[in-house]
Structure formats: structure tokens, C-alpha cells
Amino acid sequence: MLAFELIVQGLIQGSIYALIAVGLTLVYGLLRILHIAHAALFTLGGYFGVLVTNATGSFGLAIVVAMVAVGGLGMLVYRFCYEPILARPPHVALIASIGLFIALEEVFRLVFGPYGISYTAPPLTATVVVASMNLKQAEIMVMAGVIVLIGGLAVLTRRTRVGIAWRATVTDPAMAQSFGVDVIKVRYLNFFIGSALAAAAGVMVALLNNLVEPTMGSVPSYKALAIIVLGGLGDVRGTLIAALALGVVESFGTIYLGTILDRDAIAFVFLIVVLMIRPQGLFGKT
Amino acid sequence: MLRLTELSAGYGAFTAVHGLSLAVAPASVFALVGANGAGKSSTIMAIAGHVTVQGGQVELDGQDITALPVARRVSRGIALVPEGRRLFGDLSVRDNLMIGGYARPRRDEAENRARVIEMFPRLGERLDQAAGTLSGGEQQMLAIGRALMARPRLLMVDEVSLGLMPAAIDVCYAAIRRLKEAGVSVLLVEQSTARALEIADRVCVLESGRAVWQGSAEEARKDPAMIEAYMGLAKV
């Protein structure tokens, strides 16, 4: 039974990693940019979640506002941070992204204070019994929310013209453009969706921890980078599986190795070991 | 239909095509032949807008399209089957065809796809299969079919026979013949000059980016110097 509970807890944590990492891999797949500042958008999503819930009492509205607002900001990040330097070597965009991430963390510190903010009346705190396990409503909401969002992304990319055009653009931008696909619009859509997913993850983490603070994106940013390498850079399916696997390994590791290593150390040891065995990632080709 | 006037094109400081002039008539097949590196692919990539035009003019139906962006050329009726096919390998056959007709109204998609499948029935059997898993011949059929989804008036096909089994080449060439009969102009790039002359109305031989011979396909067959130098078909 303990193993089952650990798997469930691991999947909940992995689902959040998945939401963050999918946005990152989408950007990498399309533009070959390691978008470190993505983690700051995750943090901003958390702030929106808490602030809007506290102001309106509606957690559902908070998720929508966070996703739309942060999605829009993601497009601005592309327009003003990355688009002007697309023709430069990839390390230029990487450095710009790291700079933006640090700057945004400082902005959060200045605007929202250094100690973080919490829900005045935390939503979804009741406990329910599912398959003999006590789960918080918030945990169930996180899993259900991730399934809906990732499912929606799958439908978008496989069943709609714009989604299929997006996948074609990732494969061969020049050819997609030659058939009339507007590559610029695809890039904006890419940043909107990736950033909105990160914002949703931020809202969910804020819900689970009842805390948002300026540096909450730091550790997830490292983990998300490792996850997209593990899943095969640009591979959404691989990223999802890698994120869930990491969550489960962390969950078991915390119980069985917790006296030796902390949760984050266990995660990175796992990632290092896997990448030593398969440097191309779990699903990458040699 | 298509007229190139003193076209020069290339990559950065490198010029691959030097002052090329030619005209492709409506409902005809024009073959660009020559050895590897002669500038054939660069010519059609410049017409499609993928390679920088360094000088001269590209006209379609009397209108200058030299500076038009790639997508606008597609909407003017130019479609490209590039060398190596460049299919979207992870996408299904159906989705590749959809992208081919992306610039067309959505309501035309089913009709255009039916037209392509009528020409290449094998694609109809593999609509939900990933393009990357098709055989070489089927991939070439899909590359042509994808271009036809845009309902082009000028189809440019680069190395249609490269790496294909003879039976697959026959299917692709039969399709090009049918397109010509349907009023589509075809600009064909081929290393296999003998195959190109089977269906071409006019031929231009390129060497080091320059036209060294131009005339009708019939003249090409009769010109022994041209035959011996470029075709490998002497004493036909």
C-alpha cells in the first residue's frame, strides 16, 4: 500500500514538473533556445494564483487569469528578449534568458516582498479517501488539471490545423513556411501555450505549499532543464514520461534515502545516473 | 507562364546561378539538367524564394515576383517538391497533405485530397501512417501530392527519380504527364537526362551555374554534342 501511495504522490509531483518542462521543451523544439526565464513565469503564475484567489475568492478564476496573463507575458518575452537575437548563436539567447530570470526574481522581490505570500483562505484543503488513501482535494485537482491541460495540448497539436501546422514548423520551419504557415504566429502561440502551462504549474505549487516566494522557480528550473534532456530535447512525449518518472523516483527516494540525501539531491542523482547511461536521453536517438 | 531574365542567385557571397534566362510555357514540362552542383536546385529554390536572388528577375504570368516572400509565391500558384522530399516525417500522410494545402481555403481540403489520392491511390491506403515510415517511392508520391494540395499552376520538382526504384519513378513520371495534360506547368530538375527527355518539352543544360544549351527536347535528342557531353546516351 505504501508503494501505491508513493507512486500517487510521485505522479502528483511529476505532473507539476511535466507542466513546467513541456513549455520549456516546446520552446527548445521550435527555436533551439534554452528558455531559463520560463521558471520565472512559473513563479509569476503562482503569484497570480494567490493574489486573484485572495481578491476574488475564486480559485478557478485565478487559474484562468494566471494562464492568460502569463501566456501573454511569455509572448512579450519572445518579442523583446529572443526575437531580436534569433540570428545570434544559441549561447547569446541562453545568457539573455539567464539574465531575464535573475531580473524577474528581483522584480518579484521588490514588488511582492522577500518573504512570500500565502492564501488568506486556502482553497481545496478538505481530505478525501480514494482507494484507501487520504488525498487532499488540492492534490486531486492538480492531477486532474494536468490531465486536462496535457490532454488539451495533445488535442490541439494532433486534431487542429494550427496545431498540426505547429508540429510541421517544429520539424522543418522553412518548408512549413513555404506552404503558407505563418511561422511568426506559430512562435507566439508556442510561447503563449508554454508560458500558460508554466503559470498553471505555479498556481498548483502555490496551492499545495500555500506559499509563493520570489525564488520558488530556481530548483524547478534546474529540474525542468534536466527533464527535457532526459526526455530528449524537444520531445513532448519523452518530457512527460521523464517528468513523471522523476516525480516517482523522488517520492520513493525521500522515504528510502531521505536520511542520506534530501529530495532535490535524490532527483539530481537520478538524473545524473540516467544521463551517464543514456546521454541522449531516455527516448533520444544515438 | 514563368520567365527568368538574367537570374543570378546564391548563398551569401557565393553565386550558384549566373545570369540564367529561360521561359516555361503554360501546360508544358521544362527540364533543367546538368551534373551535380550545376545550379539546378539553386535555380528552383530561388524561384520558390528559398535562395537569395542576387540579380535579374523572376516573372510569373508577366508579374514580377522576384521580391515576394515564399508564402506569397505559393498563393500565386507556385509549388515545390524539394530534393530529398523534406516531408514532415512525424506527421501522418493526411496531415502532410493538409499542410500542403494550408494556404488554400479549408473547404477545398477534402476535394484536393481526393484528387491527390486519385492520382496516387497508395497514399489513400496510408492516410493515417506517419510519413517517415513510408517507402521511398511512397514518400516521393506524398511529396508531389503535398505540393499538389496547393493547386499549383507551376510545379517545380527536384530530382524526382533520385534513389527510387524504376516502378516508383514510372508512377511519378506518369503523374507529371497527367499534370501537364491538366494544364499545369512543370519545371523538372533531373540528373537523369534520359528520363527527363521522356516527358520534357524543352530542356536547359546547366554547367557551373550557367546555361550552356537550351532548346526543345527533340532538338536535344538530335544534338550529338549535347548528347555526348551531358546525357550519356550517345548512339541512341
Side-chain angles (χ1 to χ4, degrees), chain B residues 196-207:
Chain B
L197 288 183
E198 288 174 16
I199 56 171
D201 297 295
R202 289 189 66 79
V203 182
C204 175
V205 182
L206 289 180
E207 191 178 76

Side-chain angles (χ1 to χ4, degrees), chain A residues 158 160-162 164-165 167-169 171-172 174-182, chain B residues 50 70-71 74 82 86 88-91 95 98-100 102-104 106 109 146:
Chain A
R158 296 191 177 274
T160 67
R161 271 168 74 89
V162 69
I164 293 163
R167 289 166 60 211
T169 306
T171 306
D172 190 338
M175 279 310 294
Q177 191 173 29
S178 76
F179 292 115
V181 175
D182 187 335
Chain B
H50 292 287
V70 176
V74 177
R86 289 175 68 175
F88 305 111
D90 292 336
L91 268 58
D95 291 345
M98 187 279 280
I99 294 293
Y102 201 79
R104 307 267 322 164
R106 192 175 184 172
E109 187 184 326
R146 183 180 62 176

Side-chain angles (χ1 to χ4, degrees), chain B residues 118-138:
Chain B
E118 195 256 326
M119 185 171 282
F120 301 115
R122 291 279 281 279
L123 297 181
E125 299 162 14
R126 285 159 170 69
L127 275 178
D128 295 316
Q129 191 173 327
T133 64
L134 299 176
S135 70
E138 289 165 348

Side-chain angles (χ1 to χ4, degrees), chain B residues 212-214 216-231:
Chain B
V212 293
W213 192 93
Q214 202 170 148
S216 70
E218 201 173 327
E219 287 171 320
R221 291 191 196 93
K222 289 176 185 167
D223 186 332
M226 190 270 186
I227 291 169
E228 286 175 15
Y230 306 111
M231 293 171 54

Side-chain angles (χ1 to χ4, degrees), chain A residues 122-204:
Chain A
L124 304 171
T125 52
T127 301
V128 290
V129 179
V130 179
S132 305
M133 274 188 306
N134 288 323
L135 291 174
K136 284 186 207 164
Q137 284 179 343
E139 291 172 331
I140 295 171
M141 196 289 294
V142 166
M143 288 195 74
V146 171
I147 290 169
V148 168
L149 290 172
I150 298 296
L153 181 66
V155 170
L156 175 79
T157 55
R158 296 191 177 274
R159 299 272 178 240
T160 67
R161 271 168 74 89
V162 69
I164 293 163
W166 176 6
R167 289 166 60 211
T169 306
V170 169
T171 306
D172 190 338
M175 279 310 294
Q177 191 173 29
S178 76
F179 292 115
V181 175
D182 187 335
V183 173
I184 306 297
K185 275 188 191 162
V186 168
R187 287 177 185 160
Y188 279 108
L189 178 70
N190 199 61
F191 269 84
F192 180 86
I193 290 174
S195 305
L197 292 178
V203 174
M204 289 172 186

